[in-house]
Amino acid sequence: MAIRQGSPDSTFWKFRTSKMAIDILHKEELWFAKPKFFNDPFDSSLTINEVLSGIAGSSLKLRERLGLTQEDINQLNSDILNHFQNLQASDKNYISELENRAVFCVNRKIEFQSPPKVYDPINEPLMWSHYADEHRGICLGFNLKNLSSHCKNNRPYYPYFKVWQIYYGLDGVKGAYDHLLIKKSNQLDDDAYRWFTERVFLIKARNWEYEGEYRFMLFDVAADKPGKSVSLAKDDLEHVVFGINTEPSDKELVRIILDEKGWSHVSLWNTSKDPNNLLSLEFSKYNP
């Protein structure tokens, strides 16, 4: 039975323990956390220099097509580092916003063209095991259209709301680097450098690829704060999905909270083992 409404790729999923999911529903708040508090110490911690070293020699065909020598590459890498250092010196707001941003992480269906792969988090047992208390937790399904109002402001470099997709491995930042290579033969600008810089802050190890992670970001969080709570609009929540081992008392509590808070449009789902597809999950409407 299909869980989603509208487009099959329209739902953002948040896997939580039952206690944490119930807390979100009770308070009607989402928590944006600083990356330094993440469970992966490699996440958002790479430096520009480390990335440049990591992708060295990865664009040989493009370099040949553009007629760029190793000296050209060395100069480009030097330009990238110098530009970032100049930004650090001259525009502290830009750098501090990158370093002090707070993030609300969600998961969404993603498809890779080469090699062809599809990851759909709600159907991924690993997601339920790692983030939903060994299938005892709850997954919340959002559309999050209204979250944009919290993420918009008048920052010069991030004037528009955007959902940021995580790049697994170095392929994402390599694409931004190739963009710099191509523009090098024409004209580089601040936006091109910033695009590369921002990609560096969105890299995770390829081991996490099955998560299909996206991030909503806030850039107005004080440096001494671990994060920030943001109000959850009622029509941002579409689904509540219970794990295979979610306690019946937690299911009933969720139903009561949704009724009391006027979330009548939210659909409730049970998860079980799919008898027709070994090691897979299936979903059915929750009927108390």
Side-chain angles (χ1 to χ4, degrees):
M1 198 172 215
I3 288 180
R4 299 172 186 80
Q5 297 171 340
S7 166
D9 303 326
S10 64
T11 303
F12 292 99
W13 301 105
K14 186 66 174 179
F15 294 82
R16 298 277 78 182
T17 65
S18 289
K19 182 180 183 301
M20 296 171 77
I22 289 169
D23 195 52
I24 289 173
L25 298 176
H26 178 68
K27 294 180 179 177
E28 299 182 56
E29 288 182 346
L30 304 176
W31 175 251
F32 284 66
K34 295 282 186 66
K36 65 181 178 182
F37 296 100
F38 288 173
N39 59 3
D40 178 6
F42 297 97
D43 192 348
S44 306
S45 67
L46 294 177
T47 66
I48 304 295
N49 203 25
E50 287 172 333
V51 170
L52 288 173
S53 298
I55 60 177
S58 63
S59 303
L60 289 175
K61 290 184 179 179
L62 179 61
R63 288 159 54 177
E64 291 174 0
R65 179 163 65 84
L66 296 174
L68 299 175
T69 65
Q70 185 59 50
E71 184 178 347
D72 295 326
I73 302 304
N74 294 340
Q75 184 61 53
L76 174 62
N77 292 349
S78 177
D79 289 346
I80 293 171
L81 285 170
N82 288 338
H83 195 85
F84 187 70
Q85 289 165 358
N86 289 339
L87 282 172
Q88 287 179 302
S90 64
D91 196 342
K92 298 187 183 302
N93 285 335
Y94 172 71
I95 302 304
S96 66
E97 283 183 347
L98 278 176
E99 294 177 345
N100 291 310
R101 72 200 185 286
V103 177
F104 180 64
C105 301
V106 286
N107 309 94
R108 197 179 195 183
K109 181 179 177 181
I110 56 172
E111 299 186 28
F112 296 97
Q113 301 299 320
S114 180
K117 286 188 236 178
V118 177
Y119 292 111
D120 196 358
I122 193 63
N123 292 303
E124 177 54 68
L126 278 175
M127 297 298 294
W128 287 96
S129 295
H130 292 169
Y131 297 108
D133 193 20
E134 300 172 2
H135 295 254
R136 291 187 292 264
I138 295 171
C139 185
L140 304 177
F142 302 104
N143 64 57
L144 295 177
K145 294 174 184 175
N146 294 297
L147 199 57
S148 62
S149 62
H150 297 286
C151 297
K152 282 181 180 175
N153 62 29
N154 294 320
R155 298 183 311 273
Y157 306 117
Y158 304 98
Y160 304 109
F161 164 72
K162 182 178 180 181
V163 184
W164 303 66
Q165 183 177 0
I166 289 299
Y167 298 93
Y168 297 98
L170 294 175
D171 288 350
V173 75
K174 180 184 174 300
Y177 184 77
D178 288 349
H179 177 73
L180 289 175
L181 284 179
I182 293 169
K183 294 203 75 171
K184 185 65 179 176
S185 59
N186 185 4
Q187 182 181 1
L188 281 168
D189 54 29
D190 284 355
D191 287 341
Y193 283 117
R194 289 192 180 99
W195 187 43
F196 177 85
T197 301
E198 289 151 20
R199 288 288 182 99
V200 170
F201 284 85
L202 293 168
I203 297 172
K204 288 185 73 170
R206 194 171 294 282
N207 311 62
W208 300 99
E209 195 172 50
Y210 67 92
E211 292 183 341
E213 185 176 338
Y214 286 74
R215 292 178 177 175
F216 291 79
M217 295 191 189
L218 293 176
F219 296 90
D220 59 349
V221 183
D224 61 341
K225 300 294 183 182
K228 182 177 180 179
S229 291
V230 169
S231 297
L232 170 64
K234 288 198 183 305
D235 56 352
D236 274 349
L237 180 67
E238 291 183 337
H239 309 288
V240 176
V241 188
F242 302 120
I244 292 174
N245 300 317
T246 305
E247 292 289 342
S249 58
D250 289 331
K251 295 180 182 181
E252 183 59 16
L253 180 54
V254 166
R255 187 190 66 79
I256 291 171
I257 291 173
L258 294 181
D259 284 347
E260 290 180 346
K261 291 185 173 290
W263 264 319
S264 59
H265 67 283
V266 175
S267 57
L268 297 174
W269 300 84
N270 274 325
T271 305
S272 59
K273 297 177 182 178
D274 187 346
N276 301 312
N277 193 359
L278 191 63
L279 304 180
S280 297
L281 304 174
E282 70 171 1
F283 306 92
S284 60
K285 279 291 187 73
Y286 171 70
N287 294 307

